[in-house]
Amino acid sequence: QLIGVMGVHVDDTAVGGMGPTFEKSIAQLKARFPYRKWRRGAGEFCGAMYEQDPVSKEIVMSQQHFAETLKPDFIPKSARPDTPLDASQTRVLRGINGSLNWLSSQSRPDLSVQTSLSQQCFPKPHIGNLRDANNAIRRTKQHKSLSIRFQSIDPNRLTICCHSDAAFANVGVHTQAGYVLAFVDSKMHKGQVSPWVPAIWRSYRLPRT
């Protein structure tokens, strides 16, 4: 019987569980490692904030603070979209793409397409690509309060649901595809709305055949 789970990344740890065996294990963990902070019900893990409802057990994940730190690059209004980026602008665009990739892969699937398309402009990005990346940052900040909600689902009723979409040459001359895998409750009663917990998502360019 599952009594607890633990996720570890470098020096960040997140645990969940209940019962005397679980509590004993946590005590041993604290005795072995010198944790600087230990929070219950809410806290930060890998740059994201988590908070759990004590009644419903729903967990809300947000990266609002990280989204607020992103800054678009300055582009003169007279700059032509087809002008190649110089070395400095290229470094800035790589940094923006890295930040967007972190957000879109962790908590903001709504940014996946813009992030993927921005990454595809290399190795020869232009001013137009940098403008598109700036627009992605604006969207990031506009919806900075978006969060992911992990609702409680009985493991015996856990089911995987997949949504996918692709249309031939839907982005210029190539095809941009995407999918979302989520956890749902397989035994919800008629009229009830099943919990829908996103687990994995991706937006990418399909290779030509």
Side-chain angles (χ1 to χ4, degrees), residues 22-143:
F22 172 76
E23 295 297 340
K24 180 180 179 181
S25 299
I26 294 301
Q28 292 174 334
L29 187 68
K30 290 181 178 179
R32 175 65 178 82
F33 298 101
Y35 287 98
R36 184 168 59 91
K37 295 180 180 178
W38 189 273
R39 295 189 174 95
R40 283 182 174 268
E44 183 179 355
F45 181 72
C46 292
M49 292 302 301
Y50 291 82
E51 184 173 358
Q52 184 174 39
D53 187 294
V55 178
S56 68
K57 304 305 180 183
E58 178 184 75
I59 298 174
V60 179
M61 172 201 184
S62 171
Q63 287 186 295
Q64 178 172 338
H65 177 70
F66 184 79
E68 291 172 342
T69 64
L70 300 188
K71 296 180 180 180
D73 192 30
F74 172 74
I75 302 175
K77 293 184 178 180
S78 59
R80 294 174 54 86
D82 57 351
T83 302
L85 298 185
D86 59 30
S88 177
Q89 291 171 320
T90 300
R91 285 194 298 271
V92 170
L93 181 56
R94 288 188 186 278
I96 290 175
N97 282 347
S99 297
L100 291 175
N101 184 68
W102 173 243
L103 267 177
S104 64
S105 64
Q106 299 299 308
S107 65
R108 293 288 301 272
D110 61 302
L111 300 172
S112 296
V113 174
Q114 286 178 288
T115 302
S116 177
L117 292 176
S118 186
Q119 292 171 335
Q120 293 171 27
C121 70
F122 284 89
K124 297 180 180 180
H126 294 77
I127 288 293
N129 303 126
L130 185 56
R131 282 203 176 106
D132 290 339
N134 283 347
N135 288 333
I137 290 181
R138 293 187 185 95
R139 179 184 177 87
T140 300
K141 291 177 174 291
Q142 181 182 5
H143 303 287

